[in-house]
Amino acid sequence: DQQVKQNSPSLSVQEGRISILNCDYTNSMFDYFLWYKKYPAEGPTFLISISSIKDKNEDGRFTVFLNKSAKHLSLHIVPSQPGDSAVYFCAASEAYSSASKIIFGSGTRLSIRP
Amino acid sequence: EPEVTQTPSHQVTQMGQEVILRCVPISNHLYFYWYRQILGQKVEFLVSFYNNEISEKSEIFDDQFSVERPDGSNFTLKIRSTKLEDSAMYFCASSVGTVNQPQHFGDGTRLSIL
């Protein structure tokens, strides 16, 4: 079941540059999208989300873009910092379902090099 | 910042034994979830819980699994007769609502079945 896909298992970016993480989804019923960051031995930490009525949401260094027609979203981190090195999960849910379970992608490991 | 706490961090159990994983959700949250992540695989939804009953469960959540909110603060996942394939990280999450509200995760319990 590949409803949420992150096709890049890893990404290496130089410190100070922009990191762009991509995600595709197949379920047209998804209308709420989230990005989580995960360090080893910790749980996923919520970063930023976007509902389907928007195409962009910004929070500090993090911006999420949503292209509904392409069923694609991306997370931009600028400038990238060493502490951003982690696994990033794209996730989606049907906001108006009874329980809003989250469907996760497989994650992209971001490494910020000095 | 309030957080979801899970205990124990690591549980080792013999196959066939019962295990209870414990979670304290964020205090003003009303919706509670369990997810699991088998090593090398995606984070998968198990069950959601609201108003003292299960809202939704996945096909993974069979009769061996149960959830309970025994008091006003704890949320537990019980596996009645563990199998080798139950070995995974189990994450508890909570949210204040379901419409465009992020779920916040604990750091997980690593369950190892011998």
Side-chain angles (χ1 to χ4, degrees):
Chain A
D1 184 356
Q2 294 278 341
Q3 295 189 70
V4 179
K5 291 183 264 191
Q6 294 177 257
N7 292 320
S8 298
S10 63
L11 176 67
S12 179
V13 174
Q14 191 167 21
E15 182 179 356
R17 306 296 290 267
I18 185 170
S19 295
I20 300 176
L21 297 97
N22 292 301
C23 177
D24 298 295
Y25 63 96
T26 57
N27 187 343
S28 57
M29 297 299 291
F30 288 148
D31 48 14
Y32 183 56
F33 304 89
L34 311 95
W35 284 94
Y36 285 86
K37 173 182 178 178
K38 188 179 181 304
Y39 294 118
E42 294 186 11
T45 299
F46 170 70
L47 264 182
I48 192 169
S49 62
I50 188 168
S51 74
S52 58
I53 61 173
K54 299 175 125 181
D55 55 19
K56 176 183 173 181
N57 189 27
E58 191 172 351
D59 184 0
R61 297 186 299 115
F62 302 92
T63 303
V64 56
F65 295 91
L66 175 62
N67 183 333
K68 280 193 69 179
S69 61
K71 293 192 177 67
H72 177 83
L73 63 155
S74 61
L75 174 68
H76 293 208
I77 306 172
V78 57
S80 300
Q81 298 175 354
D84 296 332
S85 294
V87 177
Y88 288 78
F89 291 100
C90 172
S93 71
E94 297 176 41
Y96 292 93
S97 73
S98 62
S100 293
K101 67 183 179 186
I102 289 178
I103 306 299
F104 282 85
S106 54
T108 296
R109 182 176 301 278
L110 176 65
S111 301
I112 306 301
R113 58 183 192 273
Chain B
E1 184 171 328
E3 57 183 28
V4 176
T5 57
Q6 291 186 242
T7 54
S9 57
H10 191 191
Q11 175 79 45
V12 182
T13 301
Q14 291 286 332
M15 184 173 59
Q17 296 295 305
E18 175 183 287
V19 65
I20 298 176
L21 310 182
R22 302 181 191 280
C23 169
V24 179
I26 295 172
S27 62
N28 65 331
H29 286 189
L30 301 175
Y31 297 82
F32 314 113
Y33 311 84
W34 284 100
Y35 291 79
R36 79 173 186 190
Q37 185 179 28
I38 294 172
L39 187 63
Q41 298 186 22
K42 290 185 180 184
V43 177
E44 305 173 283
F45 169 79
L46 290 179
V47 66
S48 59
F49 191 86
Y50 169 71
N51 200 25
N52 280 322
E53 59 183 31
I54 290 174
S55 304
E56 185 174 357
K57 58 184 180 180
S58 72
E59 58 197 27
I60 303 167
F61 195 88
D62 61 22
D63 292 344
Q64 297 296 317
F65 291 87
S66 63
V67 289
E68 191 179 29
R69 187 152 164 84
D71 52 43
S73 59
N74 290 283
F75 179 51
T76 62
L77 174 69
K78 181 191 292 186
I79 309 176
R80 186 155 51 91
S81 177
T82 50
K83 303 186 285 286
L84 293 176
E85 54 265 37
D86 294 327
S87 294
M89 282 293 292
Y90 287 80
F91 295 107
C92 173
S94 68
S95 64
V96 66
T98 59
V99 178
N100 296 348
Q101 295 290 334
Q103 294 174 24
H104 296 271
F105 286 74
D107 283 340
T109 293
R110 178 171 299 282
L111 178 62
S112 300
I113 307 300
L114 305 179

PDB file of all heavy atoms in Angstrom, chain A residues 71-88:
ATOM      1  N   LYS A  71      -0.879  15.967  -6.969  1.00  0.00           N
ATOM      2  CA  LYS A  71      -0.798  15.132  -5.770  1.00  0.00           C
ATOM      3  C   LYS A  71       0.651  15.077  -5.272  1.00  0.00           C
ATOM      4  O   LYS A  71       1.243  13.992  -5.066  1.00  0.00           O
ATOM      5  CB  LYS A  71      -1.332  13.730  -6.034  1.00  0.00           C
ATOM      6  CG  LYS A  71      -2.823  13.677  -6.312  1.00  0.00           C
ATOM      7  CD  LYS A  71      -3.329  12.238  -6.276  1.00  0.00           C
ATOM      8  CE  LYS A  71      -4.819  12.137  -6.469  1.00  0.00           C
ATOM      9  NZ  LYS A  71      -5.257  12.541  -7.804  1.00  0.00           N
ATOM     10  N   HIS A  72       1.193  16.246  -5.070  1.00  0.00           N
ATOM     11  CA  HIS A  72       2.600  16.364  -4.702  1.00  0.00           C
ATOM     12  C   HIS A  72       2.758  17.435  -3.629  1.00  0.00           C
ATOM     13  O   HIS A  72       2.117  18.490  -3.689  1.00  0.00           O
ATOM     14  CB  HIS A  72       3.431  16.742  -5.938  1.00  0.00           C
ATOM     15  CG  HIS A  72       4.881  16.949  -5.647  1.00  0.00           C
ATOM     16  ND1 HIS A  72       5.787  15.906  -5.575  1.00  0.00           N
ATOM     17  CD2 HIS A  72       5.583  18.076  -5.390  1.00  0.00           C
ATOM     18  CE1 HIS A  72       6.981  16.386  -5.301  1.00  0.00           C
ATOM     19  NE2 HIS A  72       6.896  17.698  -5.187  1.00  0.00           N
ATOM     20  N   LEU A  73       3.594  17.141  -2.655  1.00  0.00           N
ATOM     21  CA  LEU A  73       3.968  18.181  -1.713  1.00  0.00           C
ATOM     22  C   LEU A  73       5.465  18.148  -1.475  1.00  0.00           C
ATOM     23  O   LEU A  73       6.130  17.132  -1.754  1.00  0.00           O
ATOM     24  CB  LEU A  73       3.201  18.086  -0.390  1.00  0.00           C
ATOM     25  CG  LEU A  73       3.321  16.894   0.522  1.00  0.00           C
ATOM     26  CD1 LEU A  73       2.985  17.330   1.937  1.00  0.00           C
ATOM     27  CD2 LEU A  73       2.377  15.793   0.118  1.00  0.00           C
ATOM     28  N   SER A  74       5.958  19.284  -1.011  1.00  0.00           N
ATOM     29  CA  SER A  74       7.387  19.365  -0.754  1.00  0.00           C
ATOM     30  C   SER A  74       7.621  20.181   0.516  1.00  0.00           C
ATOM     31  O   SER A  74       6.799  21.029   0.892  1.00  0.00           O
ATOM     32  CB  SER A  74       8.132  19.981  -1.939  1.00  0.00           C
ATOM     33  OG  SER A  74       7.675  21.290  -2.194  1.00  0.00           O
ATOM     34  N   LEU A  75       8.727  19.893   1.147  1.00  0.00           N
ATOM     35  CA  LEU A  75       9.167  20.625   2.332  1.00  0.00           C
ATOM     36  C   LEU A  75      10.475  21.312   1.992  1.00  0.00           C
ATOM     37  O   LEU A  75      11.421  20.663   1.536  1.00  0.00           O
ATOM     38  CB  LEU A  75       9.369  19.671   3.510  1.00  0.00           C
ATOM     39  CG  LEU A  75       9.956  20.284   4.780  1.00  0.00           C
ATOM     40  CD1 LEU A  75       8.954  21.250   5.426  1.00  0.00           C
ATOM     41  CD2 LEU A  75      10.362  19.201   5.779  1.00  0.00           C
ATOM     42  N   HIS A  76      10.502  22.623   2.194  1.00  0.00           N
ATOM     43  CA  HIS A  76      11.718  23.388   1.975  1.00  0.00           C
ATOM     44  C   HIS A  76      12.270  23.826   3.326  1.00  0.00           C
ATOM     45  O   HIS A  76      11.523  24.366   4.157  1.00  0.00           O
ATOM     46  CB  HIS A  76      11.436  24.625   1.109  1.00  0.00           C
ATOM     47  CG  HIS A  76      11.056  24.292  -0.296  1.00  0.00           C
ATOM     48  ND1 HIS A  76      11.309  25.148  -1.351  1.00  0.00           N
ATOM     49  CD2 HIS A  76      10.464  23.196  -0.838  1.00  0.00           C
ATOM     50  CE1 HIS A  76      10.868  24.610  -2.469  1.00  0.00           C
ATOM     51  NE2 HIS A  76      10.356  23.418  -2.190  1.00  0.00           N
ATOM     52  N   ILE A  77      13.552  23.633   3.509  1.00  0.00           N
ATOM     53  CA  ILE A  77      14.223  24.082   4.725  1.00  0.00           C
ATOM     54  C   ILE A  77      15.333  25.032   4.293  1.00  0.00           C
ATOM     55  O   ILE A  77      16.234  24.653   3.541  1.00  0.00           O
ATOM     56  CB  ILE A  77      14.833  22.895   5.500  1.00  0.00           C
ATOM     57  CG1 ILE A  77      13.781  21.822   5.773  1.00  0.00           C
ATOM     58  CG2 ILE A  77      15.434  23.387   6.822  1.00  0.00           C
ATOM     59  CD1 ILE A  77      14.365  20.535   6.378  1.00  0.00           C
ATOM     60  N   VAL A  78      15.226  26.288   4.746  1.00  0.00           N
ATOM     61  CA  VAL A  78      16.257  27.234   4.346  1.00  0.00           C
ATOM     62  C   VAL A  78      16.484  28.267   5.448  1.00  0.00           C
ATOM     63  O   VAL A  78      15.506  28.819   5.958  1.00  0.00           O
ATOM     64  CB  VAL A  78      15.881  27.902   2.992  1.00  0.00           C
ATOM     65  CG1 VAL A  78      14.538  28.596   3.052  1.00  0.00           C
ATOM     66  CG2 VAL A  78      16.958  28.871   2.550  1.00  0.00           C
ATOM     67  N   PRO A  79      17.715  28.522   5.855  1.00  0.00           N
ATOM     68  CA  PRO A  79      18.896  27.762   5.469  1.00  0.00           C
ATOM     69  C   PRO A  79      18.994  26.460   6.249  1.00  0.00           C
ATOM     70  O   PRO A  79      18.536  26.369   7.392  1.00  0.00           O
ATOM     71  CB  PRO A  79      20.038  28.713   5.880  1.00  0.00           C
ATOM     72  CG  PRO A  79      19.483  29.450   7.066  1.00  0.00           C
ATOM     73  CD  PRO A  79      18.012  29.616   6.803  1.00  0.00           C
ATOM     74  N   SER A  80      19.601  25.461   5.665  1.00  0.00           N
ATOM     75  CA  SER A  80      19.769  24.175   6.340  1.00  0.00           C
ATOM     76  C   SER A  80      20.849  24.289   7.417  1.00  0.00           C
ATOM     77  O   SER A  80      21.876  24.941   7.221  1.00  0.00           O
ATOM     78  CB  SER A  80      20.169  23.104   5.323  1.00  0.00           C
ATOM     79  OG  SER A  80      19.173  22.977   4.326  1.00  0.00           O
ATOM     80  N   GLN A  81      20.573  23.618   8.535  1.00  0.00           N
ATOM     81  CA  GLN A  81      21.500  23.653   9.673  1.00  0.00           C
ATOM     82  C   GLN A  81      21.880  22.226  10.067  1.00  0.00           C
ATOM     83  O   GLN A  81      21.120  21.285   9.791  1.00  0.00           O
ATOM     84  CB  GLN A  81      20.832  24.361  10.857  1.00  0.00           C
ATOM     85  CG  GLN A  81      20.463  25.813  10.585  1.00  0.00           C
ATOM     86  CD  GLN A  81      19.692  26.442  11.729  1.00  0.00           C
ATOM     87  OE1 GLN A  81      19.312  25.781  12.703  1.00  0.00           O
ATOM     88  NE2 GLN A  81      19.445  27.752  11.618  1.00  0.00           N
ATOM     89  N   PRO A  82      23.004  22.055  10.731  1.00  0.00           N
ATOM     90  CA  PRO A  82      23.432  20.689  11.116  1.00  0.00           C
ATOM     91  C   PRO A  82      22.373  19.936  11.919  1.00  0.00           C
ATOM     92  O   PRO A  82      22.197  18.731  11.733  1.00  0.00           O
ATOM     93  CB  PRO A  82      24.696  20.956  11.959  1.00  0.00           C
ATOM     94  CG  PRO A  82      25.232  22.235  11.436  1.00  0.00           C
ATOM     95  CD  PRO A  82      24.034  23.067  11.072  1.00  0.00           C
ATOM     96  N   GLY A  83      21.639  20.653  12.781  1.00  0.00           N
ATOM     97  CA  GLY A  83      20.597  20.002  13.578  1.00  0.00           C
ATOM     98  C   GLY A  83      19.419  19.497  12.765  1.00  0.00           C
ATOM     99  O   GLY A  83      18.562  18.779  13.286  1.00  0.00           O
ATOM    100  N   ASP A  84      19.382  19.871  11.495  1.00  0.00           N
ATOM    101  CA  ASP A  84      18.304  19.385  10.625  1.00  0.00           C
ATOM    102  C   ASP A  84      18.553  17.968  10.139  1.00  0.00           C
ATOM    103  O   ASP A  84      17.663  17.356   9.531  1.00  0.00           O
ATOM    104  CB  ASP A  84      18.143  20.311   9.409  1.00  0.00           C
ATOM    105  CG  ASP A  84      17.712  21.715   9.795  1.00  0.00           C
ATOM    106  OD1 ASP A  84      17.040  21.878  10.834  1.00  0.00           O
ATOM    107  OD2 ASP A  84      18.073  22.662   9.052  1.00  0.00           O
ATOM    108  N   SER A  85      19.733  17.456  10.385  1.00  0.00           N
ATOM    109  CA  SER A  85      20.042  16.080   9.962  1.00  0.00           C
ATOM    110  C   SER A  85      19.155  15.105  10.730  1.00  0.00           C
ATOM    111  O   SER A  85      19.239  15.010  11.963  1.00  0.00           O
ATOM    112  CB  SER A  85      21.522  15.762  10.218  1.00  0.00           C
ATOM    113  OG  SER A  85      22.354  16.551   9.396  1.00  0.00           O
ATOM    114  N   ALA A  86      18.304  14.406  10.022  1.00  0.00           N
ATOM    115  CA  ALA A  86      17.307  13.514  10.629  1.00  0.00           C
ATOM    116  C   ALA A  86      16.577  12.797   9.498  1.00  0.00           C
ATOM    117  O   ALA A  86      16.836  13.056   8.315  1.00  0.00           O
ATOM    118  CB  ALA A  86      16.305  14.309  11.467  1.00  0.00           C
ATOM    119  N   VAL A  87      15.656  11.930   9.866  1.00  0.00           N
ATOM    120  CA  VAL A  87      14.758  11.328   8.879  1.00  0.00           C
ATOM    121  C   VAL A  87      13.466  12.145   8.868  1.00  0.00           C
ATOM    122  O   VAL A  87      12.906  12.447   9.926  1.00  0.00           O
ATOM    123  CB  VAL A  87      14.456   9.857   9.208  1.00  0.00           C
ATOM    124  CG1 VAL A  87      13.461   9.277   8.198  1.00  0.00           C
ATOM    125  CG2 VAL A  87      15.748   9.042   9.203  1.00  0.00           C
ATOM    126  N   TYR A  88      13.018  12.510   7.675  1.00  0.00           N
ATOM    127  CA  TYR A  88      11.808  13.305   7.519  1.00  0.00           C
ATOM    128  C   TYR A  88      10.713  12.444   6.896  1.00  0.00           C
ATOM    129  O   TYR A  88      10.899  11.828   5.849  1.00  0.00           O
ATOM    130  CB  TYR A  88      12.074  14.524   6.638  1.00  0.00           C
ATOM    131  CG  TYR A  88      12.909  15.551   7.361  1.00  0.00           C
ATOM    132  CD1 TYR A  88      14.285  15.377   7.493  1.00  0.00           C
ATOM    133  CD2 TYR A  88      12.332  16.670   7.940  1.00  0.00           C
ATOM    134  CE1 TYR A  88      15.066  16.290   8.181  1.00  0.00           C
ATOM    135  CE2 TYR A  88      13.099  17.601   8.624  1.00  0.00           C
ATOM    136  CZ  TYR A  88      14.461  17.399   8.747  1.00  0.00           C
ATOM    137  OH  TYR A  88      15.228  18.313   9.430  1.00  0.00           O
TER     138      TYR A  88
END
